[in-house]
Structure formats: structure tokens, C-alpha cells
Amino acid sequence: MKIKFFTTGGTIDKVYFDAKSEFEVGPPQVREVLQEANVVFDYEIESILRKDSLDLTDDDRQLIRQRVEAEPCSRVVVTHGTDTMVQTGQALAGIADKTIVLTGSMQPARFRVTDAVFNIGSAIGAVQSLPPGVYIAMNGRIFAPGRVRKNREKNCFEEVAAG
Amino acid sequence: MKIKFFTTGGTIDKVYFDAKSEFEVGPPQVREVLQEANVVFDYEIESILRKDSLDLTDDDRQLIRQRVEAEPCSRVVVTHGTDTMVQTGQALAGIADKTIVLTGSMQPARFRVTDAVFNIGSAIGAVQSLPPGVYIAMNGRIFAPGRVRKNREKNCFEEVAAG
Amino acid sequence: MKIKFFTTGGTIDKVYFDAKSEFEVGPPQVREVLQEANVVFDYEIESILRKDSLDLTDDDRQLIRQRVEAEPCSRVVVTHGTDTMVQTGQALAGIADKTIVLTGSMQPARFRVTDAVFNIGSAIGAVQSLPPGVYIAMNGRIFAPGRVRKNREKNCFEEVAAG
Amino acid sequence: MKIKFFTTGGTIDKVYFDAKSEFEVGPPQVREVLQEANVVFDYEIESILRKDSLDLTDDDRQLIRQRVEAEPCSRVVVTHGTDTMVQTGQALAGIADKTIVLTGSMQPARFRVTDAVFNIGSAIGAVQSLPPGVYIAMNGRIFAPGRVRKNREKNCFEEVAAG
């Protein structure tokens, strides 16, 4: 079994550069997560972008869509900032024959207390279990992009009526 | 959505009691994992046993089966030692209308470097995505209990021919 | 034995506020470090400032000096940003009858991989072992403020000729 | 500045061997602690023994004493199990011209929540600050071996009348 990982940035990949006193998106953190988890499936990690998801443009979303469409592997996980994950999920609608799961985290993977590892795990459990389509894996649930939103006050994802 | 967690012991729940110089199965670690992951589904955690899985007897496995059968919830995750997880998975065969996923870890959840959090995440992603049946979630893959074994030399789970 | 902790901000106390997509100085992290270390001495923690040390003014340094001077306890640890720790150390020169140790960290205490815990430990080992005076505890060494500088390229503190 | 580390075993160095279902003393954990702390002093790590300190014999203690006496470096840190750390501290009495600090931890260095990093930090802060002699660094305090004991009920070290 093979899974392709595309990374786009977001909180999950934020690291601290002391020299610059800056906290910025760094290299894909999913790599270390997979190594520590000692996964036994084949995988490839491709970094498409390194942006806060609030800074993603429609062109960026089209770029992500093109890369996913062009990818031969039928199981795709996309790590992404949480703020506009739903929007990107919707931009990936209708891609044939692929199970695509988007995930990210509220606390960076580099933190001692983080949701990153759990979320990546849940996306991986889901991507090999679900039929083709696009899904969001956050806060332990698997959502359809048309029926979920990020609740900023409660700082979590929740189901909404289809729309 | 609701998930029922049954815990049976195993490495995942091992904690260190300095006063006794003993490293033993302690209370269910899945509780803290779910809290840190900030999950948004309902859940219940029930500790059936606190044993190394090498010490589980057929009576223990029947007890586990009875509890799972009696559980009204249709989504069940069982945390378990890795040594005889497959055996217990096979003992749960044929329970109707339930998606049952067994998982555990090679390194205790209390360790700084552990597969526990990722594995629990993968089990949770799978349990809400799969049709009724019994599955093993280890090393990032979802296996059928009849087609997997723990490879002790490589310290991981791997697929085998059906048997 | 009693130790007074004054916190002023810096990388050591930086936390991530996902709702604001901001990484800022938060509450004193030394509190959790002391709890996890299970320390058996009495202590008090007082937050004087919550600033990046590059933003500290001379007035800020005078405020820190005043608080240290007014403190009855003879053993004082000051957590501080690393960029201008030496400058603040020099501003504390000549305070009588107190052993004062400044420390901080290059990676926030909230990170999984951090120097914060080690550094706080080293400051505490030093503050009860040294005669009255001002010291800097970074990278495992105890320095005199007049003979140390932060080497930004190597991202560590190093001894320099007196000056 | 140079520090010599001698390791003798104890909880601090316990690691989990899943293949054997065994939790045993492994290689010196102080190495990783020093690397993560990014220390700038020279050091050498020598493993003398890998035992639970309850299993140390008088011959073992004499061996430790011989190694410390033969060591040219004047600053020595010994990592050791907590149960008989005081006894070994007393066995090192009277070694000339060396500052010797013993430390260890109640929770293994490999655990997510541990006192190991803090304790090693405190020992290092103390060893370069104290005059020649033997000291115990535990729970954030620096003790003289003749005036401390491990309180097993409270699971911490505490001062006692000289004896």
C-alpha cells in the first residue's frame, strides 16, 4: 500500500527560528511523525507550499488541485493550515478515483503537547479505509468538506448542515 | 458519533512505579491521548483487564468478547498488548453490526518517543470509516486479523497469506 | 531554602495562540518546569514583564533591578530572553548579598525538544552554590556577565575577554 | 571547562525493550540530554556499571571510587539510581581536589514527563560552582551526602541531621 503526502504549510509545520526570533512554517513535519510511528507502508512526501492557510490564494488552491490530479497514487493525505482547510477541501471536489484526506493541527508538531501526531494518524487510518472522495480529518472525526467548518471560538472543527 | 474504548493492558499502558522499581500496566493511557487530541466525538473508556497480552487466557478473551458483544455502541476500539493482539482479534470474529479496531503500541504512551498516539489516531480514523468487522491498526496500516502477524525480529506488524 | 524567580519574557515563555495565529510570550513557563521536577525547596514566581528581550528598554532594566533589590530572598533566578540577557545581567551589578542567576532558552519551554528545562535546572544548581553576585547560566555553563556574549551565528553563549 | 560523566545505571537510564517485554537499564541517557541542551563545555561520558542501585555491592562502590580517583578532570558528575545514591556518595568521601556531584531521576529520561533533564542540569550548574567535595543533586537541591536521605513514602530526597 502506498500513500502520497502533499504538504502546504500551516500551524502543523511551524518551527521556531531563534536567530530571527521568528516562528514560521518550516519543512514538512509529517516526515518525522511517520518515522517515529514506524509505519510499514510506502510513502512519498512532496512540499507544494509553505504558507499560513490564511495566505493561500485561488491560484494556490488550483496548484494543489493540479498536483493531486496528476498524482498516480490513489491515496492522498494533504497537510494544511486549519483556517482554510475546508475551502481547499472544496476546491478538490470531483477528482476521480482518489481518496483524499486533509488534516493539520492547532498546535505545531514540534510542541510537546500537540494534536499533530494524532491527526496525522487519524488521516492515515481513514485514507486507507474510505471510498474515493475528499475528507477532512480533524479533532478525531472524519468530515465531508461540504458539512464542516472551523469553529474559531471553540478552536475545533464541527459538523454543519450541508452547504 | 460515539466510540467505545475497551482497554486490556499491554505495553501501551505501562507506567513506572519508582517506589517499587516496577514497570507495570497502569490505568488506561487512551484517556490522556483523547484529551490532548481535543476530540469532538462522544466516548466512553472501560478497563476490562490490565495484563501483558502474553498473560491473556482464553477465558480473558471470552470476557473481552462478551463485553464487546454487550456494548450498544457500534464503533469499538480495543487497546491491547501487541504480542497476542492478532489472537484476540480472531476471537472477536463474527460479532454482528460492529466495527471493531484493535490497536496498541511498541513503546508505552508515557514515553517521549512513542507510537501510541499515532496508533490510537489511526484506529479512530479507521473505526468511523470501515464497514462492520474486526481490524488491527498497527504501524500505520489497517489489517484483517486473519492476514497479519507480529514480526518479532523487525518489531512490526506485517501482512501474511490468509490463514 | 528559598529561591525567588522573576520572569521577564523571552523565547522561553513563548506559546502559540492558534486563534490569533500568533506566537507570543505567555505566562511564566518556569512554574510547570518546577512542578515536573518535583522540587523540594520553597519558591515564589513573579512576572515582571512579558517581553522579547530585544524590546526591553533601560527603564525596563531599572524596573527589574528595583524588584531584585527589594526582594528579601538572597537567591534569585531571572528568566529572560537570550538576546539581551547579558545587558540585563550587567544592569544588575553591585546588588549586595544576593546570588542572582539569569537564564533563558533558545527553544521555548513548550517545545518537545528544548533547552529550557536543562537551563532552569542549571540555574537552580548554581544559585544555591555560588557566592553573592550576578551570573548567566546558558548552554550548561555559568558565566560572569562581563565576560560572555551571545554568539548569534553559532546560536550559543561563549566566553569573551573581560569588558 | 571540562566535566567527566560516570554512569552507573539506575532509573534514569531505564529503557523499554519491547521484544523482551523488559524494562531495563540501557546506555547512558545523559548523552542525549547534553546534546539537546546544546552544552558548550567539553565532556566525556564513561559507563562504569548498568545496575539498579539496589543491586550495587561494596565492590561496585569501590570500583566507582577508583574510577573517580583515577580521573584527571576535577569536575565529575555521576548518574546513579536513587535508592542507594547516598550510600555511594558516602563511599566517595575524602577524594582530594575534585568536585563530585551525584544525580539521577525518579522517572526515566526516556519518559515524556521526567525529572532527568532538570536534575542533570542542576548537577552541571552545581559541579562548576562548588568547592571540592561530594554532593547530591536531587529535587532541585544540593545536599551533602551525610545529611540527606531518600524519603520513599514522599518519593523525594530530604535533609536530615548529620549522621
Side-chain angles (χ1 to χ4, degrees):
Chain A
M1 188 194 70
K2 184 180 176 191
I3 299 177
K4 173 82 180 208
F5 293 85
F6 287 109
T7 73
T8 65
T11 293
I12 192 169
D13 286 345
K14 282 193 175 165
V15 300
Y16 189 65
F17 297 93
D18 176 77
K20 302 193 282 176
S21 284
E22 281 301 328
F23 191 60
E24 299 173 345
V25 177
Q29 294 303 302
V30 66
R31 187 177 305 279
E32 271 184 59
V33 171
L34 296 177
Q35 284 166 351
E36 268 193 41
N38 200 19
V39 301
V40 296
F41 53 82
D42 294 327
Y43 63 88
E44 217 177 278
I45 300 170
E46 184 179 329
S47 169
I48 305 178
L49 296 156
R50 291 191 184 183
K51 284 186 162 186
D52 242 293
S53 68
L54 286 171
D55 300 330
L56 292 174
T57 65
D58 288 337
D59 282 352
D60 289 332
R61 290 197 171 85
Q62 282 315 301
L63 175 62
I64 296 168
R65 184 185 174 101
Q66 284 159 23
R67 290 287 172 85
V68 173
E69 283 176 317
E71 171 57 40
C73 189
S74 64
R75 303 185 192 285
V76 174
V77 171
V78 180
T79 65
H80 193 287
T82 57
D83 287 318
T84 65
M85 187 185 296
V86 174
Q87 211 171 317
T88 299
Q90 290 169 338
L92 297 177
I95 296 175
D97 303 321
K98 284 187 170 50
T99 304
I100 303 160
V101 182
L102 291 93
T103 193
S105 62
M106 304 296 191
Q107 292 289 310
R110 284 271 173 104
F111 276 37
R112 194 160 87 142
V113 175
T114 177
D115 50 332
V117 179
F118 178 94
N119 291 351
I120 287 169
S122 74
I124 285 166
V127 82
Q128 61 196 286
S129 307
L130 292 162
V134 187
Y135 308 87
I136 300 249
M138 283 297 302
N139 300 100
R141 286 206 58 182
I142 309 301
F143 299 98
R147 288 205 289 272
V148 62
R149 66 168 197 139
K150 177 179 177 179
N151 181 323
R152 291 169 157 283
E153 291 69 40
K154 295 192 202 171
N155 216 30
C156 69
F157 281 64
E158 61 186 15
E159 218 161 22
V160 295
Chain B
M1 188 194 71
K2 185 180 174 189
I3 300 177
K4 172 80 179 209
F5 293 84
F6 287 109
T7 71
T8 65
T11 294
I12 193 169
D13 286 345
K14 282 191 174 165
V15 299
Y16 188 65
F17 297 92
D18 176 77
K20 302 192 284 176
S21 284
E22 281 302 327
F23 191 60
E24 299 173 343
V25 177
Q29 294 302 303
V30 65
R31 187 176 305 278
E32 273 185 56
V33 172
L34 296 176
Q35 284 166 351
E36 270 194 39
N38 200 22
V39 301
V40 295
F41 53 82
D42 294 327
Y43 63 89
E44 218 178 276
I45 299 170
E46 184 179 329
S47 169
I48 304 178
L49 296 156
R50 288 191 186 186
K51 284 188 162 184
D52 242 293
S53 69
L54 286 171
D55 300 331
L56 292 174
T57 65
D58 288 337
D59 282 353
D60 290 331
R61 290 196 171 86
Q62 281 315 301
L63 175 61
I64 295 168
R65 184 184 174 100
Q66 285 160 23
R67 292 285 172 86
V68 173
E69 282 175 319
E71 170 58 40
C73 189
S74 64
R75 302 185 192 285
V76 174
V77 172
V78 180
T79 65
H80 193 287
T82 57
D83 288 317
T84 64
M85 186 185 298
V86 173
Q87 211 171 317
T88 299
Q90 290 168 340
L92 297 177
I95 297 176
D97 304 319
K98 283 187 171 47
T99 304
I100 304 159
V101 182
L102 292 93
T103 193
S105 62
M106 304 296 192
Q107 291 290 309
R110 285 272 173 103
F111 276 37
R112 193 159 88 140
V113 175
T114 177
D115 49 332
V117 179
F118 178 94
N119 291 351
I120 288 169
S122 73
I124 286 167
V127 81
Q128 60 196 288
S129 307
L130 291 162
V134 187
Y135 308 88
I136 300 248
M138 284 298 301
N139 300 100
R141 285 208 55 184
I142 310 299
F143 300 98
R147 287 205 291 272
V148 61
R149 67 166 196 140
K150 177 178 178 180
N151 180 323
R152 292 169 156 283
E153 291 69 40
K154 295 194 203 169
N155 216 32
C156 69
F157 280 63
E158 60 186 16
E159 217 162 23
V160 295
Chain C
M1 189 194 71
K2 184 180 176 190
I3 300 177
K4 173 81 179 209
F5 293 85
F6 287 109
T7 71
T8 65
T11 293
I12 191 169
D13 286 344
K14 281 192 175 164
V15 300
Y16 188 65
F17 296 93
D18 176 77
K20 301 192 284 177
S21 285
E22 281 300 329
F23 192 59
E24 298 173 345
V25 176
Q29 294 303 303
V30 66
R31 186 176 307 280
E32 272 185 57
V33 173
L34 296 176
Q35 285 166 352
E36 268 193 40
N38 201 20
V39 301
V40 295
F41 54 81
D42 294 327
Y43 62 89
E44 217 178 276
I45 299 169
E46 184 179 330
S47 169
I48 305 179
L49 296 156
R50 289 191 185 185
K51 285 186 160 183
D52 242 291
S53 68
L54 286 170
D55 299 330
L56 292 173
T57 65
D58 287 337
D59 282 352
D60 290 332
R61 290 194 171 85
Q62 282 315 300
L63 175 61
I64 296 168
R65 185 185 174 99
Q66 283 159 24
R67 292 287 173 85
V68 174
E69 282 176 318
E71 171 57 40
C73 188
S74 64
R75 303 185 191 285
V76 174
V77 171
V78 181
T79 65
H80 193 288
T82 57
D83 288 318
T84 65
M85 186 185 297
V86 173
Q87 211 171 316
T88 299
Q90 291 169 339
L92 298 177
I95 297 176
D97 304 321
K98 284 187 169 49
T99 304
I100 303 160
V101 182
L102 292 92
T103 194
S105 62
M106 305 295 192
Q107 291 290 308
R110 285 272 172 104
F111 276 36
R112 194 160 85 142
V113 176
T114 176
D115 50 332
V117 179
F118 177 94
N119 290 352
I120 288 170
S122 73
I124 286 166
V127 81
Q128 60 196 287
S129 307
L130 291 162
V134 188
Y135 308 87
I136 301 250
M138 283 297 302
N139 299 100
R141 285 207 58 182
I142 310 300
F143 299 98
R147 288 206 290 273
V148 62
R149 68 167 196 138
K150 176 178 177 179
N151 181 323
R152 292 168 157 283
E153 290 70 40
K154 294 193 203 169
N155 216 31
C156 69
F157 280 64
E158 60 187 15
E159 217 162 22
V160 295
Chain D
M1 187 194 71
K2 185 178 176 192
I3 299 177
K4 173 82 180 209
F5 294 84
F6 287 109
T7 71
T8 65
T11 294
I12 193 169
D13 285 345
K14 282 192 175 166
V15 298
Y16 189 64
F17 296 93
D18 175 77
K20 301 192 284 177
S21 283
E22 281 300 329
F23 191 60
E24 299 173 345
V25 177
Q29 293 303 303
V30 66
R31 187 177 306 279
E32 272 186 56
V33 173
L34 297 176
Q35 285 166 352
E36 269 193 40
N38 201 20
V39 301
V40 296
F41 54 82
D42 293 328
Y43 63 87
E44 217 177 277
I45 300 170
E46 184 179 330
S47 169
I48 305 179
L49 296 155
R50 289 191 184 183
K51 284 187 163 185
D52 241 293
S53 69
L54 287 170
D55 299 332
L56 291 174
T57 65
D58 288 336
D59 283 352
D60 290 332
R61 290 196 171 85
Q62 282 314 301
L63 175 61
I64 296 169
R65 185 184 173 101
Q66 284 159 24
R67 291 287 172 85
V68 174
E69 283 175 317
E71 170 57 39
C73 188
S74 63
R75 302 185 192 286
V76 174
V77 171
V78 180
T79 64
H80 194 286
T82 57
D83 288 318
T84 65
M85 186 186 297
V86 174
Q87 212 172 315
T88 299
Q90 290 168 339
L92 297 177
I95 297 175
D97 304 319
K98 284 186 169 50
T99 304
I100 303 159
V101 182
L102 292 92
T103 194
S105 61
M106 304 294 192
Q107 291 289 309
R110 283 272 174 102
F111 276 37
R112 194 160 87 143
V113 175
T114 177
D115 50 332
V117 179
F118 177 94
N119 290 351
I120 289 170
S122 73
I124 285 165
V127 81
Q128 58 196 288
S129 308
L130 291 162
V134 188
Y135 309 87
I136 300 251
M138 283 298 301
N139 299 101
R141 286 206 58 182
I142 309 300
F143 299 98
R147 287 205 290 273
V148 61
R149 67 168 197 138
K150 176 178 178 180
N151 180 324
R152 290 167 157 283
E153 291 68 40
K154 294 193 204 170
N155 217 32
C156 68
F157 281 63
E158 59 187 16
E159 219 162 21
V160 295

